[in-house]
Amino acid sequence: MATWTPTTWQEKITSQQPIYVDVDALGASVEQLSTLPPLVSSWEIETLKKQLADAANGKRFLLQAGDCAERFADCTPERITGQLKVLLQMSLVLVHSTKRRVIRVGRLAGQYAKPRSSNDETIDGVTLPSYRGDLVNDIEFSEIARKPNPNRLLRGFERSAMTINFVRALIDGGFADLHHPEYWDLGFVKHSPRASEYQNIVASIAESLRFMETLAGESVGAINRVEFFTSHEGLHLHYEQAQTRQVPRRDGWYNLSCHFPWIGARTTDLDGGHVEFFRGITNPIGIKIGTHEVDIEKLLDALHPTNEPGRLTLIHRYGADKVGDALPKLIEAVQSTGKQVLFVCDPMHGNTSKTDSGIKTRSFDAILSELEQSIDIHQNNNSTLGGVHVEVCGQNVTECTGGARGLDEAGLGDSYETLVDPRLNYEQSIELAMLVGQKLG
Ligand code: PEP
Ligand code: CO
């Protein structure tokens, strides 16, 4: 195998990278990023890897959730708390129904770079570079806003640090104490058609904790607090490279920009820069698998050569109408390598559609259907669905149709905020966790 360093990806053809006019400015940003302290530690990364290995064996369940694209403007206490709450509540519901420990991984604190289907966008005869996430440029359609700006790499890194700092402070301060899940309530859960079902779950978890503590005669330290990990698409390789380090007393290179980076569906080319970069990092990694051609055996040869437990997660995202055909083939392809991976379903990205008036949306029913089909298909093929990967928002946005409240296309305009893909709102997220939990339980 050819030698690897954090920069060998630069010798490959790498798709989805912005074109920076000022190469020196890019170099200066990358240089500075390389000297700044990391966002996560190798200990945490190794802890997560062990937990993902458990999930692959059916002993834990992965909940990976958050924004499609974080916005710099959303680096506020309200937004961060909202995302943390919705994740904690979904995980609580899943713990209750699956009777498995749930690994909580946010699409958070760094989900700032987006792949696009086209390099440019044309509006009224004006062509400008596409928006590629706040890490690269601004969504506003003007020449100055759309020009990729390397300074944004530092601004994004700083916001990631502020976000993770606030999440850690909330968790350490007892925000996520399982004795008090009532603190996690968001106001409008009270009005949800499923409010009482959720309150019953909360009450039953509090009751179980009290029961265990009565038996043990003391508080159950290890389960008092939840653990929380971060993830983002490892798309912008100059950014990822700058945070990739060797650490004392451990082998290998760690990407310390988050615990769990993933390769997006558009960047799985075997000879491309992303596979080259990811093969050299020691983190657990995810790969999105969609309907595009992938040679699973070769991909696993490159990215999962030693079959290390917890190293590789395949996040399948076929769409409700295609999963029935595609997933059994994927499972078989993996099984024939003899290697173990964690299978996770992303029911969002294969179910995106446009309304007649051109609004990007997803239907709750299609999302649920892909998840339910995936659970059954794994079961019928001697495999396990070990987690879900969803785009959610802790606010009451109106981006996906359906759910208990029956949001219809006409309602999408009320609070449509996403810069890229439509997310489940707070109530839809909890409802999805309940329905998936019932199916898994
Ligand atoms: C995403 O996760 O936001 C994304 C772009 O997904 P995919 O790579 O699966 O299309
Ligand atoms: Co998305």
Side-chain angles (χ1 to χ4, degrees), residues 66-69 107 111 114-115 233 262 266 288 317 346 348-349 352 360 362 389-391 418 420-423:
D67 281 306
C68 177
R107 289 175 61 116
Q111 177 50 22
K114 297 307 297 174
E233 179 171 350
W262 77 85
R266 290 172 228 213
K288 293 279 204 94
R317 31 86 89 221
D346 162 359
M348 311 298 292
H349 289 88
T352 316
K360 227 184 186 189
R362 291 165 171 157
H389 179 121
V390 280
E391 291 184 340
T418 184
V420 185
D421 289 335
R423 302 159 295 177

Side-chain angles (χ1 to χ4, degrees), residues 367-377 435-436 439:
I367 292 168
L368 180 63
S369 164
E370 181 166 358
L371 277 172
E372 291 185 335
Q373 291 182 64
S374 296
I375 294 166
D376 288 337
I377 294 168
L435 296 172
V436 169
K439 176 92 183 164

